[in-house]
Amino acid sequence: MAETTRSAGTAAPARTSRTRGAKASGRETGRAATPAPGADVPAGSASGSGADAETLIGYYRQMLLIRRFEERAARAYTEAKIGGYCHLNLGEEATVVGLMAALRPTDYLFTNYREHGYAIAKGITPDRVMAELYGRSTGVSKGWGGSMHMFDKEARLLGGYGIVGGQVPLATGAALAVGYKGGDDVVMCQMGDGTAAIGAFHESLNIAGLWDLPAVFVVINNGLGMGTTVENSSAEPELYKRGAAYRMESARVDGTDVVAVRDAAVLAVEKARADSRPYLLETISPRLKGHSVVDPARYRSKEERDALKAADPLARIALDLAERGILSHDARDALDAEVTAEVDAAAAFADGSPAPDVSTLFDYTYATPVPGELRRLPADPVFSS
Amino acid sequence: MATVTYRQALRDTLRAEMIRDENVFLMGEEIGLFEGSYKITEGLLKEFGPRRVRDTPIAEEGFVGAAIGAAMLGLRPVVELMTINFSLLALDQIVNHAAKIYGMFGGQTSVPVVIRTPGGGGQQLGATHSQNVELFYSFIPGLKVVAPSTPAEASAMLKAAIRDDDPVLFLENLALYNTKGELPAGVEDLEPAQIGRAAVTRPGTDITLIGYSRMARVAAEVAETLAAEGVSAEVVDLRSLRPLDRATIVESVRGTGCAVVAEDDWLTYGIGAEIAATIQEGAFDWLDAPVRRVAMAEVPLPYAKSLESAALPSAESLLTAARDTLRATGRLALETAS
């Protein structure tokens, strides 16, 4: 359920003013300048046409878990349990879950700074993700990374990165390494729409196209780079079309439809794996809230805010599952209670976990320690004895 | 003992390390078909093929980042950047990523990448191609920065850099490539150097001359001149800019009572400033004269030979600073200090 462009010179479907799919999804952002979910994306499946009931309930549960986790994170932030920046996946749950469903456990993932949901969907327990947000030693990065820098070798989450576009060259190199070693894993690289304007994005896609690397670049287009619209930051706002410049197949998909996202991602991942060719996938995935917890999103009009409520992917799948008799109201409530309890437990785990010991401050500067390395606290002399 | 050029030592060491470890591979601009802008990689594409000797587009941020990503998965990429000036295009990948990945993920993955790059003025290349910006990298915890001055050191240091689990900036200098030196053993048998250790390359009692890369060789030359005049100069070759071997510096200055630091970069906030501060903190009571610094003139390096020569630190400028310092301590009579 996606538009695709297959190679340089192949005309991609023209952008139309008609908001296709709007009737099916009942969503419009109200601002023409911002891609609406469903706009330019073929009217998709109602969620679930291509998945069995059990799979769909599994997706719903994961989406709900991420939703409740993020709501809890927002609360913990206002309670000053979480510091620094905190970028939430609220509204992007269908994208997160759909993308991760397309990966094998051995496939690698690089993300940007909006990665809590990805960490959970890639198989890291909410306990360890929440503990990282709390800056505890039990966190996924032992408290060194925080919200933006989660990493787990076993889950093959190779990091959340805070510099826009910084992860794209790294993912390209990881894809090179996979091929160098003769494996057939795929490297997925998640990024936001703002990244498509960055030099590292272009350099990396060029290298991946040139060297036939098994990388799937996924642009999560939520319509805004912080508060700047795609139209105000990109000469070509239909970002998936950039793939053509690098002889890379590309597609755009409705990011509020978990099955559509999964199907598009499966296609991308399969091509990367089978042909060792990179792929560019764009998802239209509005975020429901601001750029980060502290952003009240005043740049949005009332109409846009109202439209966003209708764009909620969690409500969409819940309604769909109810209408098709897959998940009753009671079963949904029970699932919610179960997931909420899991998130409560994660928060309790984080709260009860120890802060990293100050004696470990110098443990992670160098993997191969050397004489002469300063292990000096601010008041210590530089040279003693 | 074999006498080889600095260039040959690098090439032989790259080759030996590639034979030793299948995970070592090379990437960079013009290193394959063209055999390297400075011919360090001559013959290596023919021997190892394009999988292990990889020509890149002129896109430093992209390919340096790709090397870092490949290193995260256990490969040992050795990147050649045509000149250190171009490393500025990859600054985000080097400083924000290579240097931070081990720390910000709590030690879960290291980045064993080597970035080789020459710098240095004196070739009339103008302002943007003649910089020594090693300070930018030496400032950053998480990076290792080495700058060997002789073929033997270059070989031993390159081995160490390739086998090290951390990102290493391996600084060369255009003026060194054709210089010769002896290798104490065949390149395969050379022991890797210890990164983070300075070397006292000439013992002395009257003054300490501290340099690295080209200026370490200049310091050795000046020490020779001073010896002919009856002055015993000790030469410290830093070799490693981060981590910095403060103990060796301080110990030397405590022995001689005075020091001149010679650096091929700009003075303000430069490497010499850090050395001088270290001496102040570690050897103040032993000092008989203020620490002097010899560095580049604080200008964008000009093209015209007359201007460029005047701006660069040289044996003459170091000799002048050393004599001034020796006079201040009374170790050189006023009349002999011409």
Side-chain angles (χ1 to χ4, degrees), chain A residues 85-173:
Chain A
Y85 297 138
C86 194
H87 310 90
L88 304 177
N89 283 122
L90 295 169
E92 300 180 5
E93 295 90 346
T95 296
V96 175
V97 171
L99 289 173
M100 291 306 98
L103 295 182
R104 295 197 305 212
T106 53
D107 289 330
Y108 296 95
L109 176 69
F110 285 79
T111 74
N112 67 359
Y113 46 82
R114 193 183 300 283
E115 94 267 38
H116 309 164
Y118 292 90
I120 292 168
K122 193 80 175 80
I124 302 167
T125 65
D127 284 6
R128 295 177 63 221
V129 178
M130 191 67 87
E132 189 59 35
L133 296 179
Y134 278 54
R136 304 304 165 98
S137 62
T138 53
V140 62
S141 299
K142 301 181 193 169
W144 279 76
S147 170
M148 298 193 289
H149 305 305
M150 301 201 181
F151 184 101
D152 187 78
K153 209 165 203 167
E154 205 180 326
R156 300 212 165 177
L157 169 61
L158 291 196
Y161 296 84
I163 305 291
V164 170
Q167 75 276 25
V168 190
L170 300 174
T172 304

Side-chain angles (χ1 to χ4, degrees), chain B residues 1-5 9 12-13 150-157 159 180-193 239:
Chain B
M1 288 240 198
T3 301
V4 297
T5 60
D12 291 350
T13 307
T150 67
E153 271 182 15
S155 178
M157 202 68 97
K159 277 191 178 184
K180 290 182 178 169
E182 286 182 343
L183 292 186
V187 86
E188 293 81 3
D189 302 322
L190 266 186
E191 281 296 309
R239 304 196 302 185

Side-chain angles (χ1 to χ4, degrees), chain B residues 4 8 14 39 49-50 79 111 116 149 190 209 219 223 247 254 319 330 333:
Chain B
V4 297
Q8 188 69 43
L14 287 174
K39 302 300 168 205
V79 176
V111 180
R116 291 181 37 242
S149 64
L190 266 186
L209 305 178
R254 284 180 180 180
L319 193 58

Side-chain angles (χ1 to χ4, degrees), chain A residues 95-96 99-100 103 109-112 118 167-168 171 187-193 195 201 205 215-221 239 248 251 253 261 264-265 268-269 279-285:
Chain A
T95 296
V96 175
L99 289 173
M100 291 306 98
L103 295 182
L109 176 69
F110 285 79
T111 74
N112 67 359
Y118 292 90
Q167 75 276 25
V168 190
V187 179
M188 183 176 278
C189 182
Q190 174 265 29
M191 68 198 85
D193 44 84
T195 311
F201 172 87
L205 266 65
V216 176
F217 301 101
V218 186
V219 175
I220 313 298
N221 185 350
L239 302 174
M248 189 181 295
V253 67
V261 172
V269 168
Y279 196 101
L280 175 62
L281 180 64
E282 177 188 7
T283 74
I284 305 299
S285 315

Side-chain angles (χ1 to χ4, degrees), chain A residues 1-5 12-15 33-42 92 94-96 98-99 118 188-197 201 205 215-225 229-231 233-244 248-269 278-286:
Chain A
M1 290 298 113
E3 292 183 14
T4 62
T5 174
R15 187 180 173 91
T34 305
D40 291 341
V41 180
E92 300 180 5
T95 296
V96 175
L99 289 173
Y118 292 90
M188 183 176 278
C189 182
Q190 174 265 29
M191 68 198 85
D193 44 84
T195 311
F201 172 87
L205 266 65
V216 176
F217 301 101
V218 186
V219 175
I220 313 298
N221 185 350
N222 61 28
L224 293 160
T229 62
V230 176
E231 287 73 13
S233 64
S234 181
E236 172 48 272
E238 294 182 62
L239 302 174
Y240 73 104
K241 291 182 178 174
R242 297 251 160 91
M248 189 181 295
E249 283 192 45
S250 62
R252 177 185 251 199
V253 67
D254 176 356
T256 66
D257 180 338
V258 64
V259 174
V261 172
R262 183 205 60 185
D263 289 348
V266 162
L267 186 73
V269 168
Y279 196 101
L280 175 62
L281 180 64
E282 177 188 7
T283 74
I284 305 299
S285 315

Side-chain angles (χ1 to χ4, degrees), chain A residues 51-67:
Chain A
D52 60 44
E54 195 187 336
T55 303
L56 287 174
I57 291 171
Y59 292 163
Y60 176 69
R61 190 188 189 285
Q62 273 205 310
M63 288 169 63
L64 189 64
L65 174 62
I66 293 166
R67 173 66 55 91

Side-chain angles (χ1 to χ4, degrees), chain B residues 202 207 209 215-229 231-235 260 262 294 314-323 326:
Chain B
R202 180 191 183 105
I207 187 169
L209 305 178
M215 293 313 288
R217 292 190 79 119
V218 169
E221 195 184 317
V222 167
E224 201 63 37
T225 306
L226 289 171
E229 297 169 9
V231 173
S232 169
E234 181 153 296
V235 177
V260 181
V294 175
S314 62
E316 291 69 35
S317 49
L318 178 53
L319 193 58
T320 299
R323 282 176 171 153
L326 288 160

